[in-house]
Amino acid sequence: MTYKRKKYHRGETHIRKKYKGKRRTKDLDEIDNDLKHNSESLLAQKIDVEKAGNAQYYCIHCARYFIDEHSLSHHYRTKVHKRRLKALELEPYTIEESERAAGLGGNYKAPVKRKIETILPKVMSDKIDVDQEPDLKKQCTVTLGE
């Protein structure tokens, strides 16, 4: 009995997957623009029943909506979120930077590293008590000092 030979050719499936719109997320320069200009409006969105979690639980760094507070707080501890924060530390590449590198717009300046911290949505930041936070810091410093 003969078996049909399987075809193991490369094809263009890896290229097609890259450009599919289903899993497409925002690029780093778009997220950087959101962080600079639209962060307040994105973190305090109006209720929208079409989006997950009624658009109340949004991670601005990853540009993703979550169902509830628990899933969003779990997301903050994942590798995906930490990788995105690490990638956002460098300033995005701009047209002005490319012109400076070519010698057209002045001297070239290397991109600067910046400190990016997780920004909580307004729904979650309201629940955190600011008065208790300094007490927690004191306890940590006391236990480390001993």
Side-chain angles (χ1 to χ4, degrees):
M1 183 170 178
T2 56
Y3 294 99
K4 185 178 177 184
R5 184 172 166 255
K6 292 184 178 181
K7 296 179 183 179
Y8 290 109
H9 58 85
R10 292 188 180 175
E12 294 181 2
T13 56
H14 63 286
I15 294 172
R16 274 186 263 144
K17 271 188 184 178
K18 182 179 178 183
Y19 294 110
K20 271 190 178 176
K22 184 176 182 181
R23 292 177 200 86
R24 179 107 173 107
T25 59
K26 287 185 177 180
D27 291 327
L28 292 176
D29 57 340
E30 293 172 321
I31 291 174
D32 187 63
N33 189 23
D34 285 344
L35 284 170
K36 288 181 182 175
H37 303 293
N38 305 334
S39 63
E40 295 297 324
S41 62
L42 286 173
L43 292 174
Q45 295 183 23
K46 294 181 180 177
I47 293 177
D48 184 8
V49 290
E50 296 293 323
K51 296 179 182 168
N54 295 332
Q56 298 301 301
Y57 305 101
Y58 181 71
C59 177
I60 195 167
H61 307 289
C62 303
R64 289 180 59 189
Y65 291 96
F66 291 91
I67 293 216
D68 57 356
E69 183 179 344
H70 176 72
S71 60
L72 179 61
S73 62
H74 182 265
H75 164 75
Y76 287 147
R77 291 176 272 163
T78 60
K79 273 187 184 180
V80 177
H81 181 74
K82 291 177 184 177
R83 275 191 208 133
R84 184 56 66 105
L85 288 179
K86 184 103 173 154
L88 285 169
E89 282 181 356
L90 276 180
E91 289 181 345
Y93 191 73
T94 60
I95 295 171
E96 292 83 17
E97 185 178 349
S98 64
E99 289 175 352
R100 278 186 268 141
L104 298 176
N107 295 335
Y108 175 73
K109 292 183 277 183
V112 180
K113 269 200 163 189
R114 38 189 189 168
K115 187 175 181 182
I116 302 287
E117 294 180 359
T118 301
I119 304 171
L120 299 174
K122 188 172 183 191
V123 176
M124 290 179 68
S125 62
D126 290 343
K127 293 181 180 180
I128 295 174
D129 191 11
V130 180
D131 297 333
Q132 291 180 355
E133 193 171 332
D135 296 335
L136 293 174
K137 288 181 182 178
K138 286 180 186 176
Q139 290 174 357
C140 293
T141 54
V142 169
T143 55
L144 293 174
E146 293 175 357

